[in-house]
Amino acid sequence: MDDDGTRGARGSSADRFPGPALPPPPTTPPRVPAPAAGPRPAATPVEQRPTRTGPASPAEQPLPGAPVDVWLRTPRPPQEPGVWRYGYTPPPPEEPEGVSNRSLLVGALISLLSALLLWSLWRNGYLPYRLVPLKLFTPGEWWNPGTSGGPRTIEGSDALTVYEAILFGLLAYGCGRIGNFSELFRRHVADRGQPFLALAAAAAAGLTQLLVWKEALPVVRPVLVLVASVAGGEIYQSQTVVNIIYAVIAAAVLYPFARLGRWRELIAARRGTTAPAPDGTAAPPVAATSADQWPELRTAGWTDAADTLTAEVRTGRMNDVDVARLRHAWALATRRPDRLAPLAEAVLRTGGAAVLHPSGHRDLPRRGARHDVLTGQVRIGRCADDPHNPYVRRGTGLALDPALLGTSLLAVGPPGAGKTARLIRPVVEALALRALAGQAAVLAVGGAGAPLGPDDAFDVVVRVGHPGSAHDIDLYGGTTDPDEAAAVLAEGLVGDVGSLDSRRAATVLAQLLGPYRAAHGHFPSVPELRELLDGTPAALAGLRTSLEAAGHHTMLRELDARSRQAGGPGDPAPALADRVALLDRPAFTGFFATGPDARPFSLRALGQHPLRVRVDLPERGHAEASRLLTRLLLAQFTAITAARTDTTLFACLVLDDATHAVTAETVRGIRRLRSVNAGAVLALRTVDDVPETLHTPLLGAVGCTAAFSGITTWDGKRFAEAWGKEWVETREVAQHTVFADQPFTRALHALRKLVTGKAVTTDAVTVRQVERERWSASELAYAVPAGHAVIRLATVDGEHAPPLLVHLDG
């Protein structure tokens, strides 16, 4: 990655990096400005980012002011596809569906009133045989004769006091269990958190203490009786002992409320200390690993280099991109042992600035999304709390990474749905960061003015039709093979014309490109290619003369064959000439040049260098030409990436508008991308922008699909079919009218109908398993809120996630 780059006149070759020359290593890390201002959703503490002046972007740090070493040590546990792994904590277990608040309150009230009634009946002696259990275990002389006789002696009176306290405790426990007071407390008190929980517990403790000391609750007298029976009545002659007993009673009554109100945790939080969680769980440790110690270097014996990088990280002289770049460079060097020593020396000499990207940049000038460069993830949203989403995914962050983009992604949504701002730009930004780390190459194609990122975030910016553009597009993909160039060019020119065979069009182009290159040493420019396709006599005669003079008899036969086929039925040359004429306009003068002096940018450089390339197309004034170039770039990308031998660099093409760019051949090419460590991101306004015959093949070729809010039911139907069905449990309730046989029952039913206005019915519930679509066409068209999308993800390894409703905040 230390190759020197050159900047040519509007272009570069595939073997040289198209950018400024490598500057000397900076002495300090680059300062990154804060992301663009705008509303942001609330983030959980583990996802909060600091505002800092250090090396890493404010959107990336776990806590305000946290250094890179904390970011590096934050756990990233392996998860399902698309889960934002940075600092991930699993959700609590799913709770079963409980009763409603109304039923809970009514049940608690009825249980309390029943307990009060029962206790009142007990105290007033309306319950028969209430003393029989006590008399069975106590001497008979303590009691008056008869089953309802009261105590005769002081011992009997004391036994009755303890007996009543035990019964009151059992009654209170049963009332709490039957009335489900614990669930009521959790929902309406504990879930509100502190300090409401502590204040509510304190109020309940004060009321209970008042009832206890007013002897409305049988607590004090039974305790005094038990202490006297154990230690003797003489113990109460000491006032100090009495005060201690009273203090113990007060503390015993207060202790349960202190536990319920979590007073200890509140006090510890006020003092700035931490207390263990009451349920025994704790937050995942941030410093669970020693990743900032660079263990891979120490294991290999390069302790000095590891110490240097550790010091760079802890002193804030490295950012997250530096860490990812050096880790990747070390992984590549381990495959070639002869590179280990030079890498270690570079680290000792320049620290975190070693093996810089050829552009000399260590970060992007501005970030608008949350990235985890270590895993290559970019967070684009959060899974909604919706029944369509599995419980474990509700509320979790959704992220994209190369393992997902390697299966390609298709995003469909109307204008204004947020495809560019909330999906395309974060993906381009993440790929640009990976390019700076030497792990990816990205080609972003959009209309002029599309918000794909600032110019200084790219190494190459091609502005088609703009006179100030420093780079150009190679129509022939940088190849020297006429047949290969003809096949790709034919796909770009007439691949969307269903009535033409692209193979026959490629043959026509090859019959002209081969002779022209043999005669002139390069392919024809746009005006010359148009004249040859039109069959201009002067152009063909001049080419024939050049071939005869050079003795290229084979190419003469090719040219003769083209002359014989010209003007025949089904000849694709006129259609090719009409499409080439779209590029032969005054606005494109000086573009698409060929020859020894022209050095247009070639897509072949994407497979050899970690490039960041952006192509701006003149969509407003030349819509058809822009679609032609988009189709050509897609065809070139699929052909070039499939043919490369070194697939260590992830290559990705991002089309902000793929309208009329998808052809049958490019669909087959997209399907092959995942096997060569490449991918494509295609954005469409509607699936109808693709020929109808390619709807099913395209949805089957891409592994990731996103349906934005506002799509039509026709588009929703195609996504619903592609996503398949699942087994769900359904409940069917049928109401049947109850007919009574007895006169009294019929009278009660008539009275109930007179009062409620409804007949007496009974419910018949049927539960069964049925197979239904994960998302129906109507739900996709009408149930997806604005700012949301339903996204289905799959990895190159075959893992997949169900379609998830995601709130996009990218």
Side-chain angles (χ1 to χ4, degrees):
M1 295 194 308
D2 288 332
D3 299 344
D4 290 340
T6 57
R7 182 180 294 275
R10 192 177 289 172
S12 69
S13 64
D15 298 330
R16 307 190 69 177
F17 189 90
L22 179 64
T27 57
T28 59
R31 293 180 180 270
V32 183
R40 277 192 173 273
T44 57
V46 75
E47 293 176 333
Q48 292 177 354
R49 306 293 190 265
T51 300
R52 53 146 182 80
T53 58
S57 171
E60 299 315 313
Q61 296 303 323
L63 294 173
V68 179
D69 58 342
V70 176
W71 167 84
L72 188 58
R73 296 195 306 268
T74 301
R76 296 165 174 85
Q79 293 298 322
E80 297 179 2
V83 176
W84 175 252
R85 294 169 51 193
Y86 178 81
Y88 173 81
T89 54
E94 184 176 8
E95 297 181 357
E97 185 178 356
V99 297
S100 62
N101 290 331
R102 179 180 178 181
S103 300
L104 193 65
L105 291 172
V106 171
L109 181 60
I110 293 176
S111 175
L112 180 61
L113 294 178
S114 300
L116 292 176
L117 176 62
L118 187 61
W119 182 247
S120 177
L121 295 175
W122 166 269
R123 293 296 301 268
N124 292 286
Y126 289 104
L127 296 180
Y129 310 108
R130 63 190 186 97
L131 299 181
V132 171
L134 179 62
K135 293 180 178 181
L136 292 176
F137 296 95
T138 54
E141 59 269 15
W142 288 5
W143 309 97
N144 292 319
T147 57
S148 60
R152 176 188 298 177
T153 63
I154 297 178
E155 290 83 358
S157 178
D158 292 343
L160 180 60
T161 300
V162 177
Y163 179 59
E164 287 184 346
I166 296 175
L167 290 181
F168 179 82
L170 294 175
L171 182 62
Y173 177 78
C175 174
R177 294 283 295 181
I178 296 175
N180 205 0
F181 278 85
S182 60
E183 179 66 15
L184 187 67
F185 175 81
R186 185 189 66 81
R187 288 191 189 182
H188 299 281
V189 180
D191 287 351
R192 295 192 179 186
Q194 300 287 12
F196 181 82
L197 175 61
L199 293 177
L207 178 62
T208 305
Q209 291 279 9
L210 178 63
L211 295 177
V212 166
W213 296 112
K214 290 292 184 180
E215 295 191 0
L217 298 179
V219 176
V220 177
R221 288 179 59 83
V223 171
L224 296 178
V225 168
L226 290 176
V227 171
S229 63
V230 173
E234 297 81 4
I235 193 174
Y236 295 124
Q237 295 179 0
S238 172
Q239 186 63 37
T240 302
V241 173
V242 174
N243 292 337
I244 292 176
I245 294 175
Y246 284 164
V248 171
I249 294 175
V253 173
L254 194 63
Y255 178 75
F257 296 97
R259 289 291 303 271
L260 289 176
R262 302 176 184 175
W263 295 351
R264 180 182 177 186
E265 294 180 21
L266 182 61
I267 295 174
R270 296 293 183 183
R271 293 180 178 178
T273 60
T274 58
D279 55 357
T281 61
V286 174
T289 64
S290 58
D292 62 324
Q293 299 281 343
W294 301 86
E296 60 272 16
L297 272 71
R298 299 182 186 276
T299 303
W302 301 97
T303 306
D304 294 340
D307 292 339
T308 300
L309 294 179
T310 301
E312 292 268 313
V313 168
R314 294 187 174 180
T315 56
R317 293 194 296 269
M318 287 180 63
N319 61 14
D320 53 353
V321 179
D322 294 331
V323 173
R325 186 185 68 252
L326 290 172
R327 280 176 170 267
H328 179 67
W330 179 261
L332 293 180
T334 53
R335 304 175 187 175
R336 299 274 302 273
D338 57 314
R339 295 184 179 180
L340 292 176
L343 176 60
E345 293 176 2
V347 168
L348 292 174
R349 184 175 63 255
T350 59
V355 291
L356 277 178
H357 186 265
S359 65
H361 297 160
R362 298 174 65 178
D363 206 341
L364 296 179
R366 183 170 59 255
R367 300 188 191 183
R370 278 172 278 187
H371 302 270
D372 185 15
V373 187
L374 204 61
T375 58
Q377 287 189 317
V378 54
R379 188 181 182 278
I380 63 172
R382 180 180 296 276
C383 296
D385 187 5
D386 187 85
H388 286 92
N389 294 342
Y391 172 78
V392 295
R393 299 301 297 268
R394 298 175 190 173
T396 62
L398 189 82
L400 297 177
D401 56 52
L404 298 171
L405 298 178
T407 64
S408 298
L409 186 148
L410 176 66
V412 179
K419 298 188 301 297
T420 300
R422 300 183 179 184
L423 179 64
I424 300 299
R425 175 158 182 174
V427 169
V428 173
E429 201 172 83
L431 293 172
L433 288 172
R434 288 189 70 82
L436 291 178
Q439 304 175 41
V442 56
L443 172 62
V445 182
L452 299 180
D455 293 350
D456 47 1
F458 296 91
D459 304 307
V460 177
V461 177
V462 181
R463 295 184 177 90
V464 180
H466 193 284
S469 178
H471 298 277
D472 198 354
I473 292 179
D474 187 354
L475 294 180
Y476 304 101
T479 182
T480 58
D481 185 0
D483 294 326
E484 182 181 351
V488 176
L489 185 58
E491 196 65 33
L493 292 176
V494 295
D496 61 329
V497 182
S499 58
L500 287 179
D501 187 358
S502 59
R503 292 174 296 180
R504 188 172 181 184
T507 302
V508 172
L509 288 172
Q511 290 173 344
L512 296 173
L513 297 181
Y516 191 94
R517 178 171 179 79
H520 300 283
H522 57 82
F523 291 121
S525 62
V526 169
E528 294 169 335
L529 179 60
R530 180 183 180 185
E531 291 179 354
L532 293 174
L533 290 172
D534 282 333
T536 305
L540 293 176
L543 180 58
R544 183 181 300 276
T545 302
S546 299
L547 291 173
E548 291 175 349
H552 294 291
H553 302 290
T554 304
M555 293 303 170
L556 279 172
R557 289 196 300 270
E558 288 284 303
L559 190 59
D560 292 338
R562 171 84 289 267
S563 300
R564 290 191 303 269
Q565 297 170 4
D571 183 17
L576 290 170
D578 292 341
R579 289 300 178 88
V580 173
L582 296 174
L583 304 179
D584 190 16
R585 305 298 301 165
F588 302 135
T589 301
F591 282 84
F592 318 119
T594 58
D597 297 333
R599 295 179 56 202
F601 171 73
S602 172
L603 263 64
R604 293 186 179 273
L606 291 175
Q608 304 175 15
H609 302 286
L611 279 173
R612 301 168 294 165
V613 184
R614 193 188 76 204
V615 178
D616 295 342
L617 301 176
E619 289 184 346
R620 295 182 179 178
H622 303 273
E624 288 298 327
S626 298
R627 292 173 181 175
L628 187 152
L629 292 174
T630 302
R631 191 163 51 250
L632 178 62
L633 291 173
L634 178 57
Q636 288 185 358
F637 180 82
T638 55
I640 291 172
T641 53
R644 61 177 182 162
T645 56
D646 185 6
T647 59
T648 57
L649 198 67
F650 178 74
C652 188
L653 169 66
V654 181
L655 297 182
D656 185 47
D657 185 5
T659 303
H660 300 297
V662 179
T663 64
E665 184 60 33
T666 53
V667 168
R668 287 189 286 268
I670 290 173
R671 191 178 290 109
R672 294 191 297 264
L673 290 179
R674 67 178 66 190
S675 62
V676 292
N677 195 23
V681 179
L682 311 177
L684 294 171
R685 294 182 178 90
T686 173
V687 181
D688 289 331
D689 289 338
V690 177
E692 186 176 358
T693 56
L694 298 179
H695 290 172
T696 301
L698 177 60
L699 290 172
V702 297
C704 303
T705 49
F708 283 71
S709 61
I711 65 173
T712 63
T713 52
W714 291 274
D715 288 342
K717 179 181 179 181
R718 298 181 181 97
F719 280 108
E721 292 175 351
W723 292 339
K725 301 180 179 180
E726 63 179 347
W727 289 97
V728 296
E729 183 180 277
T730 61
R731 294 170 57 90
E732 296 180 358
V733 181
Q735 293 184 340
H736 302 284
T737 303
V738 178
F739 298 97
D741 296 330
Q742 302 298 325
F744 181 72
T745 307
R746 285 199 299 268
L748 290 178
H749 287 185
L751 178 62
R752 178 175 175 181
K753 184 177 181 180
L754 181 63
V755 173
T756 62
K758 298 180 180 180
V760 179
T761 60
T762 182
D763 294 340
V765 181
T766 303
V767 180
R768 60 179 179 175
Q769 295 282 337
V770 297
E771 193 176 20
R772 288 184 178 177
E773 294 175 331
R774 299 178 184 272
W775 281 84
S776 67
S778 298
E779 289 175 329
L780 290 173
Y782 302 110
V784 179
H788 291 67
V790 181
I791 302 178
R792 186 256 185 186
L793 301 174
T795 66
V796 293
D797 296 330
E799 297 183 67
H800 59 86
L804 303 171
L805 179 62
V806 181
H807 175 249
L808 301 170
D809 54 11

